[in-house]
Amino acid sequence: MVETARQFLGRDDVDSVEAILADDSIDFGDVVHPTPARGDAIFTWDYERSRPGLAKLYEKAKTSQWNGSTDLDWSTPVDPERVALEMAPAAAMFQQRMAELPGSPVARWGPKEWTEFQVEALNWRMSQFLHGEQGALICTAKIVATTPWIDAKYYAATQVMDEARHVEVFSRYLDTKLEGHYPVNPALQLLIDDIIGDSRWDMTYMGMQIMVEGLALAAFGFMHQVTEEPLLKKLLRYVMADEARHVAFGVLSLQEYYAGLGAAELRERQEFAFEAALRMRDRLMMHRVWETMGVDRRTVTEFLLGMRRMRNNPFQAALFSKIVPNCKKLGLLDAGDGWLRDRFTDIGVIQFEDAADTGEEYETFDEVAKDRAAG
């Protein structure tokens, strides 16, 4: 039986320049953005604590709460340009390759332009972290209502507090230490809208806990590794401690549920995961930053797609290092004759399948407990 071709993201071609640019024209509002939140709020009368993995995670969450106002030193002076340039070495090879391509829009850029780009890129990244954390806040509140297990409701309630704290600290860092906000990236908001709008409770889990939080954990890890700015470094250490638990929450919950699904239901989850990966891949194009630097969106989209086809951006691929192994642990990578494995191979991220899967990795990320023990 020949498989019927399916459109992803409503596109005949997932690399369609026109479709990618069309997403940029969507108006998400200047102040508020309403989106349908579908799904039943589920009450359970089974209060037995029957899932030890989730119970352990809940206990860890209760003892690892931190206060963004008092546990971080907001009097720390910050030089935005210096912080931005700390990220530059990781992108140096990408910048060189892009500059060398025939007709490159950055062929004549020197240190001045690349420094300005890095400063804008830092503002953009931190802004998207902020918007993504608000998405996680709303999604986790939905998980509290829709998950059918009491152990999961207990843990999800602690994550709501975590996400509120993350929104608070990223907003404060942008407002008091950096020099500009960027609006939400369309690909990110479209994905969050899809996650919230799906009526199936496990899709909210997978979309947020596995895909969005997984990529965020990798991005935070990279930034934490390269920055020496003490306030940002501690902020990221603490956020990562929370995020590792959040991804583990998704893995522990979905592993049990997906083990009981049939082939057709698993295929729907694979396709949802692939669409989420495509959204996050498109998010990394940073159209707004390039436009700020005088490079139009169409030109940079065409060049970035060309580099992607040549596998010339290993840094961006590495952001999937937490997503691929978790999909493997959930059985999604190889279900249905390896359909998702083939798709992740197509977009150049399959090499991360044997990286740490965060099912238990959160234990090593508990920086709050380490600091308290040291103090």
Side-chain angles (χ1 to χ4, degrees):
M1 179 179 176
V2 178
E3 182 179 325
T4 303
R6 180 190 184 285
Q7 287 188 328
F8 288 97
L9 308 182
R11 306 174 189 171
D12 291 321
D13 175 10
V14 297
D15 288 336
S16 165
V17 174
E18 298 301 330
I20 292 171
L21 295 177
D23 286 346
D24 280 349
S25 66
I26 299 173
D27 182 7
F28 293 107
D30 293 330
V31 180
V32 296
H33 168 61
T35 191
R38 299 182 178 91
D40 294 331
I42 298 177
F43 289 82
T44 177
W45 311 129
D46 179 4
Y47 294 102
E48 183 179 354
R49 308 294 299 280
S50 58
R51 291 171 173 81
L54 292 179
K56 178 182 177 184
L57 205 60
Y58 176 52
E59 293 302 319
K60 176 63 71 175
K62 286 192 294 184
T63 60
S64 297
Q65 295 291 314
W66 49 280
N67 187 329
S69 297
T70 58
D71 287 324
L72 300 175
D73 183 3
W74 292 100
S75 68
T76 305
V78 175
D79 179 351
E81 183 173 308
R82 182 174 180 179
V83 175
L85 289 177
E86 291 174 333
M87 318 293 165
M93 185 177 295
F94 159 73
Q95 293 173 2
Q96 181 179 347
R97 288 172 176 171
M98 188 171 181
E100 291 172 349
L101 288 174
S104 170
V106 298
R108 297 184 179 181
W109 280 18
K112 177 178 178 291
E113 289 80 9
W114 282 117
T115 296
E116 291 175 3
F117 175 83
Q118 291 295 347
V119 171
E120 293 300 326
L122 173 64
N123 288 332
W124 181 89
R125 289 190 197 101
M126 296 295 285
S127 296
Q128 303 318 310
F129 290 164
L130 169 62
H131 302 314
E133 296 295 346
Q134 185 185 177
L137 173 64
I138 292 172
C139 286
T140 309
K142 182 184 176 187
I143 288 174
V144 174
T146 59
T147 185
W149 309 319
I150 197 65
D151 282 309
K153 290 182 185 293
Y154 286 162
Y155 179 77
T158 70
Q159 187 175 337
V160 173
M161 184 61 226
D162 290 345
E163 305 299 359
R165 185 169 56 244
H166 298 175
V167 174
E168 172 200 350
V169 297
F170 279 115
S171 178
R172 187 169 179 178
Y173 195 90
L174 275 160
D175 285 340
T176 63
K177 304 301 179 183
L178 300 183
E179 298 171 350
H181 284 247
Y182 276 83
V184 66
N185 177 268
L188 173 61
Q189 189 60 50
L190 286 168
L191 174 56
I192 292 171
D193 286 354
D194 286 345
I195 293 168
I196 296 170
D198 199 294
S199 62
R200 293 162 292 186
W201 65 268
D202 69 286
M203 292 300 203
T204 309
Y205 262 98
M206 183 178 62
M208 181 52 63
Q209 307 295 99
I210 304 300
M211 306 302 293
V212 178
E213 297 271 2
L215 186 140
L217 184 56
F220 296 155
F222 159 75
M223 189 176 286
H224 174 265
Q225 185 177 13
V226 300
T227 189
E228 296 300 327
E229 195 280 281
L231 174 59
L232 180 58
K233 199 170 187 72
K234 187 171 183 180
L235 184 158
L236 291 169
R237 282 177 64 223
Y238 279 14
V239 170
M240 286 168 61
D242 294 340
E243 299 288 7
R245 290 196 310 274
H246 301 169
V247 179
F249 175 46
V251 172
L252 289 170
S253 299
L254 294 180
Q255 197 172 24
E256 173 184 348
Y257 183 66
Y258 286 176
L261 294 184
E265 292 172 310
L266 284 173
R267 178 59 175 269
E268 289 180 332
R269 275 72 182 170
Q270 288 177 309
E271 291 180 349
F272 192 92
F274 181 56
E275 288 215 345
L278 293 174
R279 288 283 189 213
M280 289 187 290
R281 185 193 66 165
D282 289 350
R283 175 172 82 93
L284 298 172
M285 287 187 171
M286 300 194 299
H287 285 153
R288 290 271 189 157
V289 173
W290 291 105
E291 271 198 334
T292 299
M293 294 299 299
V295 181
D296 72 87
R297 299 179 188 206
R298 180 177 297 277
T299 298
V300 78
T301 300
E302 291 171 349
F303 269 85
L304 291 176
L305 287 174
M307 294 187 71
R308 182 184 294 162
R309 285 189 286 270
M310 293 185 289
R311 301 289 192 263
N312 267 349
N313 199 341
F315 165 67
Q316 288 192 1
L319 294 178
F320 288 82
S321 62
K322 301 297 181 187
I323 292 173
V324 182
N326 285 317
C327 286
K328 183 176 183 177
K329 189 165 186 177
L330 294 176
L332 292 177
L333 204 56
D334 292 308
D337 297 325
W339 184 90
L340 188 58
R341 173 182 292 277
D342 291 342
R343 302 291 81 72
F344 279 170
T345 299
D346 291 343
I347 63 174
V349 299
I350 194 62
Q351 67 268 31
F352 300 108
E353 65 172 302
D354 294 320
D357 60 37
T358 43
E360 293 294 336
E361 191 185 32
Y362 69 89
E363 294 279 11
T364 67
F365 276 89
D366 196 349
E367 301 299 327
V368 179
K370 292 175 187 176
D371 283 357
R372 287 175 181 164

